Amino acid sequence: MSKVKLSLILGLVAMFIFAMIVVPGCKTTPEAVETEKVAEVEKHFSGISIYFFPGGPEGCPFASVVYKGALAAQNDLGPDVTYLWSDWNPEKMISQFKEAIAAAPDGICIMGHPGEDAFFPLVDEAESKGIIVTSQNTDLPNIETKYVANGFGYAGQGLYTSGLALAKQSIVMWDLKAGDRAMVWGLLSQETRGLRSKGCIDGLEEAGLTVDYLEITDEINTDASLGTPVLTGYIASEPDVKLIITDHGGLTATVATYAKASNLDPGDIKFAGFDLSAASVDAIKSGYLGLILDQQPWLQGYLPILQVCLTKEYLFSGLHIDTGSGFVDANNVEALEGLAAEGIR
């Protein structure tokens, strides 16, 4: 073999060996190492600890959707989340908030039902300890103003305006007139949460309707089925009532039960309320429930978790997001039925 051929062969072998050693070694370049590090990170906001209030009891048609939104955010983003179920009881929410502060998490996502007088000193305490606080479902405007730079935001509907809108839409939808009787079953006793009930009442009274009001008791607030004798008794005493507004997601989802117990056929009395759920979809399809305003509670779970993560990691200020989406009735409920069954809408 000539020296030229031997040199050529040896050169090719050397190049092959170099490629086998060096090319795989490209994986150890700084860029590749960084890519591997990114792949090893489980979630973007892993390690952040949050206490979260879904609001009601476990299994509540509304609170369960809030919970599913929060759980989705937890799974997507990676924080550690502890859930506190409060039975829609303001006193219990305050007690649980104190427990959450004592646990010293990075953030707490509260339901604003107890109101600003009850929450203000406790939010002050939490903020003094470096805990991020934000609110969902029921806003706390003065607390939000004070701590918005620290990440105190709001994910929920405009309470008064939502009540007003549902009342006015009900009047238009069913051609109600001055002098017609309506009833609002709500939560006026709760400082901030009651604004939605007030919006319903004001909207009806502005149109000249005669408005009766019933307060939702703590027991019915926790278990909507306990309201059946209350509503059947009211209807028996006021048989000329034309519209009943239930200012509560659980009660709205139960109106078919109430109506059947009162021996009503679909449409005998118009029912309107709040919050889309699988049960309220069934009530609409049955004809007993005519109209709801959907505040998209899934977002009220997802967005507060995201808020705490963004503030903790990047010092973002509080985001105020109106989750109210509009009205649902027999004309558009089928488009949302599948999502409601999944607990997303």
Side-chain angles (χ1 to χ4, degrees):
M1 182 181 295
S2 69
K3 290 182 178 180
V4 173
K5 288 184 179 180
L6 180 60
S7 297
L8 180 59
I9 292 171
L10 291 175
L12 291 172
V13 171
M15 289 176 64
F16 177 78
I17 293 172
F18 178 81
M20 291 293 291
I21 296 173
V22 176
V23 172
C26 289
K27 294 181 181 178
T28 62
T29 62
E31 293 80 4
V33 169
E34 187 63 29
T35 300
E36 289 181 357
K37 287 182 179 178
V38 170
E40 291 172 1
V41 175
E42 292 183 4
K43 298 289 172 62
H44 194 72
F45 295 105
S46 296
I48 294 176
S49 59
I50 300 172
Y51 274 61
F52 186 93
F53 287 72
E58 292 188 67
C60 166
F62 182 88
S64 63
V65 179
V66 175
Y67 169 69
K68 287 180 179 178
L71 193 64
Q74 179 184 358
N75 291 335
D76 289 348
L77 305 174
D80 298 317
V81 184
T82 300
Y83 296 95
L84 301 173
W85 299 90
S86 309
D87 300 326
W88 299 120
N89 186 300
E91 291 78 16
K92 188 172 184 178
M93 289 181 183
I94 291 297
S95 175
Q96 291 174 325
F97 186 46
K98 292 177 181 177
E99 296 172 6
I101 293 173
D106 294 307
I108 306 174
C109 305
I110 58 176
M111 288 272 179
H113 296 67
E116 293 196 310
D117 288 345
F119 262 133
F120 227 131
L122 294 175
V123 174
D124 284 341
E125 179 185 349
E127 292 283 349
S128 72
K129 295 180 178 180
I131 299 172
I132 300 161
V133 183
T134 191
S135 180
Q136 61 268 7
N137 185 260
T138 302
D139 61 340
L140 301 163
N142 293 310
I143 298 176
E144 183 178 347
T145 297
K146 182 175 181 179
Y147 290 113
V148 64
N150 294 358
F152 196 109
Y154 175 61
Q157 64 186 323
L159 289 164
Y160 181 81
T161 54
S162 292
L164 199 65
L166 181 64
K168 291 183 176 181
Q169 183 68 15
S170 298
I171 291 167
V172 171
M173 182 171 179
W174 290 303
D175 194 28
L176 300 174
K177 306 295 185 184
D180 288 342
R181 181 178 297 278
M183 189 270 273
V184 174
W185 202 0
L187 292 163
L188 280 177
S189 65
Q190 295 186 18
E191 174 195 352
T192 306
R193 171 62 179 82
L195 289 173
R196 193 169 75 178
S197 299
K198 189 176 188 308
C200 293
I201 294 168
D202 287 354
L204 297 173
E205 289 184 339
E206 287 173 8
L209 275 70
T210 299
V211 182
D212 298 324
Y213 174 76
L214 294 180
E215 180 74 13
I216 299 170
T217 66
D218 289 342
E219 293 77 17
I220 296 172
N221 204 3
T222 301
D223 184 352
S225 66
L226 298 178
T228 302
V230 174
L231 197 64
T232 55
Y234 168 78
I235 292 172
S237 66
E238 303 292 350
D240 63 333
V241 65
K242 293 190 174 182
L243 168 68
I244 294 176
I245 293 180
T246 49
D247 182 15
H248 186 290
L251 272 65
T252 301
T254 313
V255 297
T257 298
Y258 300 150
K260 291 174 183 177
S262 300
N263 296 315
L264 298 176
D265 291 326
D268 283 350
I269 295 175
K270 310 303 182 185
F271 283 89
F274 294 87
D275 308 325
L276 188 67
S277 66
S280 63
V281 166
D282 290 342
I284 291 174
K285 294 180 71 175
S286 74
Y288 284 105
L289 178 59
L291 177 68
I292 62 172
L293 190 148
D294 179 26
Q295 58 174 311
Q296 301 184 118
W298 193 90
L299 292 176
Q300 296 177 18
Y302 198 101
L303 295 175
I305 299 289
L306 177 61
Q307 172 72 72
V308 171
C309 291
L310 291 175
T311 300
K312 179 65 178 179
E313 192 73 17
Y314 302 127
L315 305 180
F316 279 118
S317 59
L319 305 173
H320 189 104
I321 301 174
D322 188 341
T323 64
S325 69
F327 299 105
V328 181
D329 59 25
N331 294 316
N332 60 356
V333 70
E334 289 188 3
L336 301 172
E337 183 177 4
L339 292 172
E342 294 179 44
I344 297 173
R345 290 293 307 276

